[in-house]
Amino acid sequence: MAKRTHCGIKVIQCDHEGHFSLDDVDQALQSGGTILAVSHVAAQGSIVNPVVELGILAQKYDAIYIVDGCQAVGQIKVDVQQINCCAYVTAGRKWLRGPRGTGILYVRRNAPIRTPQIDLASADLVFDELGTVVDVKVRDDAKQFELWEKSTASLLGLANAIQEYLDYGIDTAEQEICAKANYIRSFVVSNQNLVLVGSENSSTGVVGFYMKDPKQEKKVKELIEKENFIISYVCDWDCPVFFPQNGVQYVFRISPHYYTSNDNIQAICNLIQRL
C-alpha cells in the first residue's frame, strides 16, 4: 500500500525490553505521519505497548490509529474507547481459543477507514430508472468489512469461545494468566544462561526467552521436547526487525492460560532451572 500511494514507512526503534520513546512517535507524526499502527501485545515476549498513550498522540495529530490485538484479546481487558483507536483487530484462535481463520474487527463509527474489497456483503449495484447499472454503493456500516462466503461453523465456534471467556470472567482470567506468567519469568531471569525478552513483571501471559549461548539452543530444544512440554518457537521471520542478534535461531515462548494447572507451571519452572 505504501508503494502504491508513494508513502514511506518508519519503524520506531525500541530496546530489548520493548521500550520505545513516545517522543519519537510524536516527532514522526509531527513530520507528516498519517497512520499509526502498533501491536497491543508482542508475540515474542512480555511486551505490552502503551496503546492508550499512543491513542492520545494519534488524536493530537489527527492520525489514523490501528491496533493489532491478536495477542491481547482473551488474556487482558481491552477497552477500545479508552484506547481511542480507529480500528482494533484480533484473531479468534489465540488467547480466545476459537477456531483458526476467525477474528474480530472493531472500527470506530465515522473512522476514515473503508473496505478494500467489493463483495456481495459489502456493496450493492445502483440502477437508474431504466434499469441500467450506474454505480456501486458500498455500505457505510461495519458490514462493509464482512465477506459473503464465510464458515458458519467457525463463527459459531468463535461465539462459544467468547462466551466461555466471559463466563470465566475477564478480570479473573487476566489476574490468573498474569500471575502464572510472572512466576515463570522469575525463573527465566534467575537462569544466567537465558535472556528474557521484555520486562520481568508484565501484564501479558507471553513469556519469551532465548539462549545467551546459541550453541546450547539445540540441546535445550531437545530437552524440552523430551520432557513432553509443548512450547512455541518464534523465528526471525516472525519478528525480523527486533529478533535477537546473537546468532540464535528462535525465541522459546511459553504462554500459560488460566486453565494451566499449578503443577504444570511448577514443572516447567523446574525445567527452566536446568536449562
Side-chain angles (χ1 to χ4, degrees):
M1 182 61 71
K3 288 181 179 179
R4 188 186 306 169
T5 56
H6 304 289
C7 293
I9 297 176
K10 179 177 178 57
V11 178
I12 302 299
Q13 297 300 312
C14 67
D15 61 23
H16 70 282
E17 290 190 349
H19 299 144
F20 59 86
S21 171
L22 288 174
D23 289 338
D24 288 347
V25 180
D26 189 299
Q27 185 176 3
L29 293 172
Q30 188 177 14
S31 61
T34 56
I35 299 176
L36 176 60
V38 66
S39 292
H40 191 163
V41 176
Q44 74 271 22
S46 48
I47 300 169
V48 180
N49 286 315
V51 291
V52 174
E53 290 81 357
L54 290 172
I56 294 173
L57 285 178
Q59 186 178 33
K60 175 182 177 182
Y61 294 102
D62 197 27
I64 296 173
Y65 182 33
I66 302 172
V67 182
D68 165 19
C70 287
Q71 290 288 350
V73 176
Q75 68 145 330
I76 64 177
K77 184 184 295 185
V78 175
D79 186 340
V80 293
Q81 303 299 329
Q82 184 181 25
I83 295 172
N84 197 27
C85 53
C86 297
Y88 192 102
V89 63
T90 188
R93 70 175 177 85
K94 297 187 178 181
W95 290 93
L96 283 174
R97 302 179 298 131
R100 180 180 287 273
T102 61
I104 301 170
L105 170 65
Y106 159 81
V107 178
R108 189 179 67 206
R109 195 179 301 277
N110 297 324
I113 299 175
R114 297 295 178 263
T115 179
Q117 80 278 325
I118 300 298
D119 181 82
L120 184 59
S122 62
D124 292 306
L125 294 176
V126 178
F127 300 88
D128 63 12
E129 62 275 6
L130 299 177
T132 304
V133 177
V134 294
D135 200 359
V136 174
K137 178 177 175 54
V138 180
R139 58 191 306 158
D140 57 6
D141 60 4
K143 285 283 186 179
Q144 67 175 282
F145 299 99
E146 295 186 7
L147 295 176
W148 181 263
E149 291 295 337
K150 51 183 175 286
S151 169
T152 302
S154 294
L155 291 180
L156 290 171
L158 176 61
N160 185 78
I162 294 172
Q163 192 59 57
E164 287 187 2
Y165 176 51
L166 295 176
D167 290 344
Y168 192 84
I170 295 176
D171 292 331
T172 302
E174 181 177 19
Q175 293 168 7
E176 293 184 8
I177 292 171
C178 178
K180 292 174 180 178
N182 279 331
Y183 183 70
I184 294 173
R185 278 187 277 266
S186 69
F187 282 79
V188 173
V189 297
S190 297
N191 188 329
Q192 296 183 351
N193 298 320
L194 311 179
V195 180
L196 181 72
V197 179
S199 303
E200 179 177 352
N201 292 299
S202 179
S203 57
T204 173
V206 180
V207 181
F209 63 87
Y210 59 92
M211 302 305 301
K212 188 172 293 185
D213 180 5
K215 296 179 181 178
Q216 301 300 314
E217 202 171 45
K218 182 178 178 181
K219 183 179 72 174
V220 168
K221 185 174 183 291
E222 291 175 348
L223 177 60
I224 291 173
E225 293 174 351
K226 181 181 178 181
E227 295 290 335
N228 293 320
F229 284 104
I230 300 175
I231 68 174
S232 303
Y233 302 101
V234 180
C235 303
D236 56 358
W237 54 267
D238 289 301
C239 50
V241 178
F242 304 114
F243 197 75
Q245 299 298 312
N246 69 331
V248 297
Q249 297 184 43
Y250 33 68
V251 172
F252 297 87
R253 183 175 66 182
I254 303 171
S255 304
H257 217 303
Y258 59 73
Y259 58 82
T260 306
S261 70
N262 290 333
D263 288 343
N264 282 338
I265 295 294
Q266 190 60 56
I268 193 65
C269 289
N270 293 341
L271 177 61
I272 289 173
Q273 287 183 310
R274 297 159 48 198
L275 300 182

